[in-house]
Amino acid sequence: MSEPSPASTGAFSALMSRPYILLILCNLFWGGNVVAGKAAVGNIDPYALMVLRWAGAALLVLPFAIEPVRRDWPTIRAKWWLYLFYGAVGYATFNALCYVAAYYTSGFNIGLDQVTINIFVMLLSFILFRTRVRPLQLVGVAITIVGVALTASHGDLSRILALDINFGDLLVLIASLAYAVYSITLRWRPQTDWRSFLLATFIGAALASLVFAATAGGGLAYVASTVPSITPLGWIIAAYTMVLPSIISQMFYVRGVELIGANRASLFINLIPLFGAAGSVLILGERLETFHFIAAALVMSGIVLAEWSARRA
């Protein structure tokens, strides 16, 4: 393989110094992952998809990470548990819950529910680090919560009072909490090469995926038996998830958090519903209900208000 040209290296360095572009692209690919997770139903077992995704991502990164890992090995060996945590919680747990949720709720809902990641990040930042939140930000968050609640209850808020929330939406909310924890803990990310970080965390995610498959997935033998029945579309979905939402998005998100912090970077996650909804309608042919439009308007209004308040600060 030829060495990258100085121009390409310079372009990559320039891209990695622009947090807004990185975070928009990152969430575009994650929005595609929402569509891929929903399209996977009937084409590939969710636990098989998860194992293939993270094991495949680790293998793809490996050739580029060998030298960085050698340099960073003392740090990786000392902080192995932290890399395992990142992979297990931020990658495997989040995606396991979202892929299973696709069997119970729509792709639009899965995308919209993920705006709660930012809410959880703000809450955890305040609890753990006393990060200041302005009153208008809280109002914006409250409006966003109403929008998400409208989605999770499928347009009937009284179902929440009766604790009758769609199971798929509940899984996505739990997944969002897991990813918020991952985002917060990135402030303790060991200072290693990004390729070393990706490989170590992908290995952690692959190991955690095997645990999920062995327990919740019906056993490793059962999950392995579903591989021959994966459709061509299922393999395409697996390939997509290995590259764009895994390698590229995770690299861009980690860099974005480094540049502007978890609180601000997590706001961009609110783009997932837009990209996910567009893909769900255009690719999956999902039908939007009236409550979807109302919920989306509430969520976006809350986001704009919270961001406007944060910028004033």
Side-chain angles (χ1 to χ4, degrees), residues 73-90:
W73 182 245
T75 302
I76 295 173
R77 183 175 57 187
K79 300 289 185 180
W80 64 268
W81 55 272
L82 190 53
Y83 291 103
L84 179 61
F85 173 84
Y86 288 144
V89 176

Side-chain angles (χ1 to χ4, degrees), residues 159-218:
R159 293 174 60 182
I160 293 179
L161 298 177
L163 298 180
D164 183 18
I165 300 175
N166 179 275
F167 181 63
D169 293 281
L170 179 60
L171 290 179
V172 180
L173 295 179
I174 297 173
S176 297
L177 176 60
Y179 203 83
V181 171
Y182 162 76
S183 298
I184 287 293
T185 56
L186 280 176
R187 66 168 54 204
W188 296 298
R189 182 175 83 86
Q191 293 305 304
T192 56
D193 187 277
W194 62 270
R195 289 163 293 185
S196 301
F197 178 81
L198 288 184
L199 180 60
T201 53
F202 287 169
I203 291 174
L207 293 174
S209 297
L210 289 172
V211 173
F212 278 119
T215 53

Side-chain angles (χ1 to χ4, degrees), residues 22-98:
L22 291 176
L23 291 167
I24 289 172
L25 290 175
C26 159
N27 288 285
L28 171 63
F29 302 143
W30 278 338
N33 188 53
V34 171
V35 179
K38 187 63 180 179
V41 176
N43 290 292
I44 180 172
D45 178 82
Y47 296 97
L49 173 59
M50 193 166 61
V51 172
L52 288 172
R53 173 180 179 176
W54 297 115
L59 290 174
L60 289 173
V61 169
L62 179 60
F64 307 98
I66 293 175
E67 286 303 319
V69 166
R70 286 176 179 169
R71 293 194 302 268
D72 296 330
W73 182 245
T75 302
I76 295 173
R77 183 175 57 187
K79 300 289 185 180
W80 64 268
W81 55 272
L82 190 53
Y83 291 103
L84 179 61
F85 173 84
Y86 288 144
V89 176
Y91 303 170
T93 299
F94 175 80
N95 283 281
L97 292 171
C98 287

